[in-house]
């Protein structure tokens, strides 16, 4: 079974930074897409950032482009989300996800999800 565990969330003032981690067990991310999503109270879950299944291309939501950076450490089987210049509107529960099958985009099929890590950005 695939398990994803997020960590690194917390409370930070606007303009600050946080780095989220997503540690995977059960398999590596090789040939599997992986991405970050977030959901704020009263809002729909939204896409934040992703690696395509090759692990070479990255994509970002317009709302975080230029501020967030997705990266990975293959040796640790961990994906990161570096969040800089945080804004109050970034406050949400952040999740990482990956498909059950290889060679598909996580934005079109996300089968495995972590428990989430809360990010709160104060004014």
């Amino acid at each position: 079974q695939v398990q994803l565990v997020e960590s690194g969330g917390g409370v930070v003032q606007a303009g600050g930074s946080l780095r989220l981690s997503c540690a995977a067990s059960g398999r590596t991310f090789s040939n599997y897409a992986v991405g970050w999503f977030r959901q704020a109270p009263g809002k729909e879950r939204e896409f934040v950032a992703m690696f395509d299944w090759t692990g070479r291309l990255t994509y970002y939501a317009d709302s975080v482009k230029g501020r967030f950076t997705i990266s990975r450490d293959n040796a640790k089987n961990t994906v990161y989300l570096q969040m800089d210049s945080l804004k109050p509107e970034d406050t949400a529960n952040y999740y990482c996800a990956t498909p059950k099958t290889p060679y598909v985009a996580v934005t079109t099929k996300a089968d495995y999800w972590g428990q989430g890590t809360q990010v709160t950005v104060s004014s």
Side-chain angles (χ1 to χ4, degrees):
Q1 304 91 287
V2 176
Q3 183 178 26
L4 304 175
V5 179
E6 302 96 336
S7 62
V11 180
V12 64
Q13 291 185 325
S17 299
L18 285 173
R19 189 179 74 158
L20 307 184
S21 299
C22 173
S25 62
R27 76 170 191 209
T28 70
F29 289 122
S30 181
N31 294 323
Y32 291 87
V34 62
W36 288 94
F37 299 79
R38 67 186 182 186
Q39 186 169 22
K43 294 187 177 181
E44 297 292 325
R45 184 174 61 202
E46 65 174 337
F47 163 77
V48 176
M50 66 168 282
F51 276 107
D52 77 329
W53 63 265
T54 70
R56 300 171 184 172
L57 301 178
T58 58
Y59 300 88
Y60 298 91
D62 289 340
S63 60
V64 306
K65 195 172 298 181
R67 299 188 298 118
F68 290 11
T69 304
I70 188 171
S71 62
R72 65 202 301 165
D73 186 332
N74 294 136
K76 296 181 178 180
N77 204 30
T78 300
V79 177
Y80 304 95
L81 184 68
Q82 178 67 44
M83 306 184 295
D84 298 320
S85 301
L86 283 163
K87 304 175 181 179
E89 51 262 46
D90 294 320
T91 295
N93 204 358
Y94 284 71
Y95 303 86
C96 62
T98 189
K100 182 178 181 180
T101 56
Y103 315 120
V104 297
V106 69
T107 49
T108 59
K109 187 170 176 59
D111 300 301
Y112 300 108
W113 296 82
Q115 296 300 305
T117 185
Q118 180 66 38
V119 172
T120 302
V121 184
S122 64
S123 300

